[in-house]
Amino acid sequence: MNTKIITAIAAFGMTLAAQAASAETVRVGVAAEPYPPFTEPDASGNWTGWEIEFMNAVCAEAKLDCVVTPVAWDGIIPALTSNKIDAIIGSMSITEERMKTIDFSDKYYNTPSVIATAKDSGITPDAAGLADKIIGVQVSTIHQDYVTTHFGDAVAEIKEYQTQDEASKDVSIEKTPIFQRKLFLIKK
């Protein structure tokens, strides 16, 4: 097994074990909206995805009874700090700001950020290319912070979405021609 995965499992397991010391069930927060292939409810309402499988493996190894607890993404850190959940699993980027409030395990994967638009748009991912354009971002993400910091003065509007699905739908119907998000490459 990859050393980084083992380290992440150990760190995540220690975090869960520390949280579980006073609880019978460990409540693991995930973003309430589907985020395939990471987390999503199936037709029966059971949560699936590779992060759920990862969580289940860690919980089984640590002999913990873990339960998925869906929370709105912009409220997931407050849910942890107010003890509504005991841990988070959810592709959360580790930032200095977040580290002031919560602890993290080692990073268990990394994805680059991208600015996406229609292939033939001619838009370039820089201030000049984004001038007077509308760019969409999901709230409470590093992407929102990045776009605001680097393009806030150049773009016509930064359109905020509660979920990535909302942003993707608007892009597909051209309500928002550009959005920033993580880049996911899936090989078959």
Side-chain angles (χ1 to χ4, degrees):
M1 188 180 287
N2 181 313
T3 305
K4 285 186 178 184
I5 293 174
I6 292 170
T7 303
I9 289 171
F12 184 62
M14 287 187 293
T15 300
L16 289 177
Q19 293 290 336
S22 64
E24 286 185 14
T25 300
V26 178
R27 301 159 299 170
V28 181
V30 300
E33 66 274 358
Y35 200 52
F38 303 95
T39 58
E40 66 180 319
D42 64 16
S44 301
N46 298 312
W47 284 83
T48 63
W50 78 263
E51 283 188 320
I52 301 301
E53 292 171 11
F54 176 73
M55 177 201 76
N56 289 336
V58 171
C59 293
E61 184 69 24
K63 297 179 178 34
L64 298 170
D65 180 24
C66 297
V67 62
V68 173
T69 307
V71 179
W73 181 253
D74 61 351
I76 205 160
I77 291 175
L80 180 64
T81 60
S82 66
N83 297 317
K84 292 179 181 163
I85 57 175
D86 303 306
I88 296 170
I89 189 159
S91 302
M92 182 179 287
S93 299
I94 301 169
T95 67
E96 293 295 323
E97 188 65 27
R98 289 175 176 162
M99 287 174 34
K100 292 175 186 174
T101 308
I102 62 175
D103 293 324
F104 286 87
S105 69
D106 289 341
K107 187 178 350 179
Y108 52 93
Y109 80 97
N110 188 41
T111 54
S113 294
V114 297
I115 292 178
T117 188
K119 189 174 184 174
D120 60 354
S121 71
I123 296 171
T124 56
D126 53 36
L130 297 173
D132 301 320
K133 304 290 190 290
I134 298 170
I135 186 165
V137 293
Q138 183 179 354
V139 299
S140 300
T141 63
I142 61 167
H143 312 293
Q144 180 183 29
D145 295 341
Y146 185 85
V147 167
T148 301
T149 300
H150 296 282
F151 305 121
D153 292 336
V155 298
E157 178 185 355
I158 298 173
K159 193 166 184 182
E160 298 174 350
Y161 295 91
Q162 292 301 309
T163 69
Q164 189 59 57
D165 280 352
E166 290 174 3
S168 298
K169 285 176 188 168
D170 267 9
V171 168
S172 69
I173 60 172
E174 298 183 8
K175 283 177 106 178
T176 302
I178 309 164
F179 71 101
Q180 176 157 349
R181 65 169 295 163
K182 291 181 180 181
L183 171 64
F184 301 110
L185 299 176
I186 300 172
K187 293 183 180 179
K188 290 188 176 188

